[in-house]
Amino acid sequence: MTNPLPQGATIGILGGGQLGRMLSVAASRLGLKTHIFEPGANPPAGHVADQITTASYDDVAALTGFAATVDVITYEFENIPTSALDTLEALKPIHPNRRALATSQDRLVEKEFLQSLGLNTAPFASVDTLDDLTAAISSVGTPAILKTRRFGYDGKGQARLMTPDDTATAHADMAGAPSLLEGFVDFSHEVSVIAARGQQGDIACFDPGENVHINGILHTTTVPANLSKGQSTDAVLLAARILNELDYVGVMGVELFVTPQGLIVNEFAPRVHNSGHWTQNGCVVDQFEQHIRAVAGWPLNEGKRHSDITMENLIGDDMDRVATLASEPNTALHLYGKDEVKHGRKMGHVNRITG
Amino acid sequence: MTNPLPQGATIGILGGGQLGRMLSVAASRLGLKTHIFEPGANPPAGHVADQITTASYDDVAALTGFAATVDVITYEFENIPTSALDTLEALKPIHPNRRALATSQDRLVEKEFLQSLGLNTAPFASVDTLDDLTAAISSVGTPAILKTRRFGYDGKGQARLMTPDDTATAHADMAGAPSLLEGFVDFSHEVSVIAARGQQGDIACFDPGENVHINGILHTTTVPANLSKGQSTDAVLLAARILNELDYVGVMGVELFVTPQGLIVNEFAPRVHNSGHWTQNGCVVDQFEQHIRAVAGWPLNEGKRHSDITMENLIGDDMDRVATLASEPNTALHLYGKDEVKHGRKMGHVNRITG
């Protein structure tokens, strides 16, 4: 697909959560429709999509039917089963590509990829067995974090080792899953770059945002981030290097630790990213539309910021504050329409214009 | 309904065009769903709505079924058949109310209402017969415009009388429809106020925008408008007076002529308005969300503007410019996903941030 998708074309989105929902809204601004593929009932993205398929990722007939109705396929999460991708890829283009997905799905592969580009990462070692873990602690040291290589998000699938005494407990926590030991990085703060690459290889990055996490879940993103001009430039160039190397099409979130010795790449996500939600009220074209533009073969927007913003996630019982938040000046609500409020569940976010 | 609608509630929208489409998107930001009622197939609003009913406005069963699935009803256009409103109103609340609709549906009733509030209008006279028209020309003078009292939009249903010689032709153009002769107003420019009133009687107005029409269709809206501070205040107060008098709930577009003698009210529309599309990229909460907030019993946003904007409508073949527009910096596209490009048809708009 080299031409931009025309009016009325349909973008297939794997995953029906809040990211799919906001992608669907963005697609509508460009005159494009969306078709959501999601195993769960009443997905948030379904409220604003033209079509929904409710089926599991191993339902080949459903995947085939889905692919037949769409012009291009993208996704809102990186843990899509390989077999589903195999089925879909034979039928329609998928952006971002398989290599980006495969790289980000496995923390070990991701770290090795980043190092191959000459980028700095936390010290790490692969851990499959208890012996591996003992050896890893020798090389990486403690404190450290043991993480499953796959399927971790929002701090899940992780165990901290403050001293080597925690070895057995941490290993047991992984329940035999292939893992990675990561050394602690002494960073002052975390920032992320929301970067986009189009089908012509054009790249546009939004200004880096500064992230604060609580209990392993993103709490706020603030732009502009506390970065020197040089650090901002480094962050953007580094993100661009990742995108180019992967021949990437779409938006990527790249998380970086800021240290006195420079920027260290924590991880990247091959999709729109929670730390990019501020763009909805800080930029003329947000990360969701930027992703749709890339996937649909449209030109990217330059990504310029018109306002300073702090994004705050609304998690679980934070929803009790909605009535108050709705009355705050300079504050935009973005609620996800989820059926049920659960502890730790991302229910929405607010963007506050601060300048 | 005094409490704000909760997450997952459904707003019924009569009409499935671009206004319904953008209302639906706005509802999603508040965690609300929409159900579109529209006689035409493949309505633009349907691409981003949770439910669609395709039925005519005289289909009582369809109207009843629609009402059963929604918590409150609103509309994107003012020419809704009375019988449909009768059916719906017995089942669910409708905002804005019937009086606002009835007043705006009839140019004569509207003008008399505005005059009863002490607001200035163009000189006018009711015209049902050729004799009426002759008498009207004596009182109003020429040049003047003969307009049908009902169902006019975008310059349709209008005939100009440059001199009394045009009487017969103009009268024939109306094809017997009850009409109104309006005298010309010597105005320097047109502005509009997008005003909102909530269920608690709270009012919030966006900054007035300056409108330029081509061939009777809105071409651009620019904010800030060319108005003195006093004129801006007058415009906003005047709009508030209309809303209060009608005990209005929702967003209203009020069109005003600027003259050396002060502001003259042209007309108002009891709905979101084309001249308010600039708010999508100029304000943290746009006119569509403001309308949904009002209709859903939520607090209004103050309506503050963070950027200067020029909105330009994309009409008919303007769609050929989309590829170019997509590459312009500081420019947001809003395309309506309409099936077919037609001459004079509103296909989308762009908002350009100018400061």
Side-chain angles (χ1 to χ4, degrees):
Chain A
M1 185 183 61
T2 50
N3 290 322
L5 285 187
Q7 295 295 289
T10 298
I11 295 180
I13 300 178
L14 303 175
Q18 65 266 22
L19 301 181
R21 178 179 174 98
M22 295 183 279
L23 285 168
S24 196
V25 162
S28 80
R29 287 197 295 267
L30 302 180
L32 305 173
K33 300 177 190 170
T34 56
H35 184 162
I36 304 294
F37 191 102
E38 162 64 46
N42 192 23
H47 307 163
V48 284
D50 190 54
Q51 295 176 74
I52 319 173
T53 294
T54 306
S56 97
Y57 286 108
D58 58 11
D59 184 336
V60 175
L63 290 166
T64 305
F66 168 78
T69 69
V70 306
D71 296 285
V72 61
I73 297 169
T74 190
Y75 44 87
E76 60 149 23
F77 72 120
E78 53 270 47
N79 293 319
I80 303 157
T82 301
S83 63
L85 292 168
D86 289 341
T87 301
L88 294 171
E89 201 173 46
L91 299 167
K92 288 290 158 67
I94 303 183
H95 300 295
N97 62 32
R98 289 291 288 273
R99 186 173 166 218
L101 258 180
T103 305
S104 71
Q105 279 176 345
D106 186 317
R107 292 181 196 279
L108 179 63
V109 176
E110 185 182 13
K111 287 261 191 305
E112 287 171 342
F113 167 75
L114 293 168
Q115 287 204 334
S116 76
L117 291 183
L119 303 176
N120 294 320
T121 68
F124 65 92
S126 175
V127 174
D128 288 333
T129 65
L130 189 57
D131 284 350
D132 287 345
L133 181 52
T134 305
I137 291 171
S138 309
S139 71
V140 168
T142 55
I145 310 184
L146 189 62
K147 299 178 175 180
T148 56
R149 282 171 55 178
R150 300 173 66 91
F151 302 119
Y153 68 96
D154 286 351
K156 293 180 175 62
Q158 302 195 0
R160 289 195 178 211
L161 293 94
M162 297 313 292
T163 73
D165 292 346
D166 298 332
T167 303
T169 313
H171 182 253
D173 280 356
M174 297 300 106
S179 303
L180 187 78
L181 188 71
E182 276 186 32
F184 266 36
V185 174
D186 185 20
F187 62 96
S188 54
H189 50 296
E190 185 200 292
V191 298
S192 55
V193 175
I194 307 299
R197 188 168 177 275
Q199 292 188 21
Q200 313 304 318
D202 45 323
I203 285 183
C205 296
F206 295 103
D207 286 346
E210 183 169 338
N211 303 325
V212 174
H213 293 79
I214 294 182
N215 298 327
I217 304 180
L218 184 66
H219 174 53
T220 58
T221 301
T222 300
V223 278
N226 178 18
L227 288 176
S228 68
K229 202 163 177 181
Q231 287 172 320
S232 277
T233 305
D234 283 354
V236 163
L237 289 178
L238 168 169
R241 198 190 252 170
I242 296 172
L243 295 179
N244 280 330
E245 178 62 28
L246 292 170
D247 194 20
Y248 194 86
V249 170
V251 160
M252 173 184 282
V254 184
E255 295 181 7
L256 304 168
F257 296 131
V258 182
T259 79
Q261 291 74 43
L263 299 171
I264 289 180
V265 185
N266 178 27
E267 61 180 17
F268 66 84
R271 52 170 170 78
V272 289
H273 197 256
N274 194 168
S275 70
H277 291 1
W278 68 267
T279 57
Q280 293 175 307
N281 297 96
C283 301
V284 75
V285 166
D286 67 19
Q287 68 163 347
F288 301 100
E289 182 175 329
Q290 194 78 301
H291 185 75
I292 296 291
R293 283 173 175 240
V295 164
W298 286 46
L300 299 182
N301 180 269
E302 56 181 349
K304 203 171 126 184
R305 179 170 55 82
H306 59 66
S307 297
D308 298 348
I309 302 271
T310 294
M311 186 286 305
E312 178 190 349
N313 270 332
L314 302 179
I315 301 187
D317 291 340
D318 284 342
M319 289 300 283
D320 296 342
R321 295 162 49 210
V322 162
T324 308
L325 293 167
S327 300
E328 276 185 20
N330 297 316
T331 300
L333 279 164
H334 298 270
L335 304 179
Y336 306 152
K338 292 186 181 178
D339 280 337
E340 207 185 332
V341 176
K342 286 186 197 166
H343 179 73
R345 193 179 204 191
K346 290 177 180 172
M347 303 299 297
H349 65 275
V350 291
N351 286 329
R352 292 188 178 88
I353 294 189
T354 58
Chain B
M1 185 186 60
T2 51
N3 291 320
L5 285 188
Q7 294 296 288
T10 298
I11 295 179
I13 300 176
L14 303 175
Q18 63 266 25
L19 301 181
R21 177 180 174 97
M22 295 184 280
L23 285 169
S24 197
V25 162
S28 80
R29 287 198 295 267
L30 302 179
L32 304 173
K33 300 176 190 170
T34 56
H35 185 162
I36 304 293
F37 190 101
E38 163 65 46
N42 191 22
H47 307 163
V48 284
D50 189 54
Q51 295 176 75
I52 319 172
T53 294
T54 306
S56 99
Y57 285 109
D58 58 13
D59 183 338
V60 175
L63 289 167
T64 304
F66 167 78
T69 68
V70 306
D71 296 285
V72 62
I73 296 170
T74 189
Y75 44 86
E76 61 148 22
F77 73 118
E78 52 270 48
N79 293 321
I80 304 157
T82 301
S83 62
L85 293 168
D86 289 341
T87 301
L88 294 170
E89 201 173 45
L91 299 168
K92 288 290 156 66
I94 302 184
H95 299 296
N97 61 34
R98 290 291 287 274
R99 186 174 167 218
L101 258 179
T103 306
S104 71
Q105 280 176 345
D106 186 314
R107 292 181 196 279
L108 179 63
V109 175
E110 184 182 12
K111 286 260 189 310
E112 288 172 341
F113 166 76
L114 293 168
Q115 288 205 335
S116 76
L117 291 183
L119 303 176
N120 295 319
T121 68
F124 65 91
S126 176
V127 174
D128 288 332
T129 64
L130 189 56
D131 284 349
D132 289 344
L133 182 53
T134 305
I137 291 170
S138 307
S139 72
V140 168
T142 53
I145 310 184
L146 188 61
K147 300 178 175 180
T148 56
R149 282 172 56 178
R150 301 173 65 92
F151 303 118
Y153 68 97
D154 287 348
K156 293 179 174 63
Q158 303 194 0
R160 291 194 175 209
L161 292 94
M162 297 313 290
T163 74
D165 293 346
D166 297 330
T167 303
T169 313
H171 183 253
D173 280 354
M174 297 300 105
S179 303
L180 188 78
L181 188 70
E182 277 185 32
F184 265 36
V185 174
D186 185 20
F187 62 97
S188 54
H189 50 299
E190 185 201 292
V191 299
S192 55
V193 175
I194 306 300
R197 188 168 177 275
Q199 292 188 21
Q200 312 305 317
D202 46 323
I203 286 183
C205 295
F206 294 103
D207 286 346
E210 182 168 339
N211 303 324
V212 173
H213 294 80
I214 294 183
N215 297 329
I217 303 180
L218 184 64
H219 175 52
T220 58
T221 300
T222 300
V223 280
N226 178 19
L227 289 176
S228 69
K229 201 162 178 181
Q231 287 171 319
S232 277
T233 305
D234 283 353
V236 163
L237 289 177
L238 170 168
R241 198 189 249 170
I242 296 172
L243 295 179
N244 279 330
E245 179 62 27
L246 292 170
D247 193 20
Y248 193 85
V249 169
V251 160
M252 174 185 280
V254 184
E255 294 181 10
L256 305 167
F257 297 132
V258 182
T259 79
Q261 291 74 43
L263 300 172
I264 289 180
V265 185
N266 179 26
E267 62 180 16
F268 65 84
R271 53 168 169 79
V272 289
H273 197 255
N274 194 168
S275 70
H277 291 359
W278 67 267
T279 58
Q280 294 174 306
N281 298 96
C283 301
V284 74
V285 166
D286 66 21
Q287 68 162 346
F288 301 101
E289 182 176 330
Q290 194 78 301
H291 185 76
I292 296 291
R293 283 175 174 239
V295 164
W298 286 47
L300 299 182
N301 181 270
E302 57 181 348
K304 204 171 123 186
R305 178 169 54 83
H306 60 65
S307 296
D308 297 349
I309 302 271
T310 295
M311 187 286 304
E312 180 189 349
N313 271 332
L314 302 179
I315 301 186
D317 291 340
D318 284 342
M319 289 299 283
D320 296 342
R321 294 162 48 211
V322 163
T324 307
L325 293 167
S327 300
E328 276 186 21
N330 297 317
T331 301
L333 279 165
H334 298 270
L335 304 180
Y336 306 153
K338 292 187 182 176
D339 279 338
E340 206 184 333
V341 176
K342 286 186 198 166
H343 180 73
R345 192 179 204 192
K346 291 177 179 172
M347 302 300 297
H349 65 275
V350 290
N351 285 329
R352 293 188 177 88
I353 294 189
T354 57

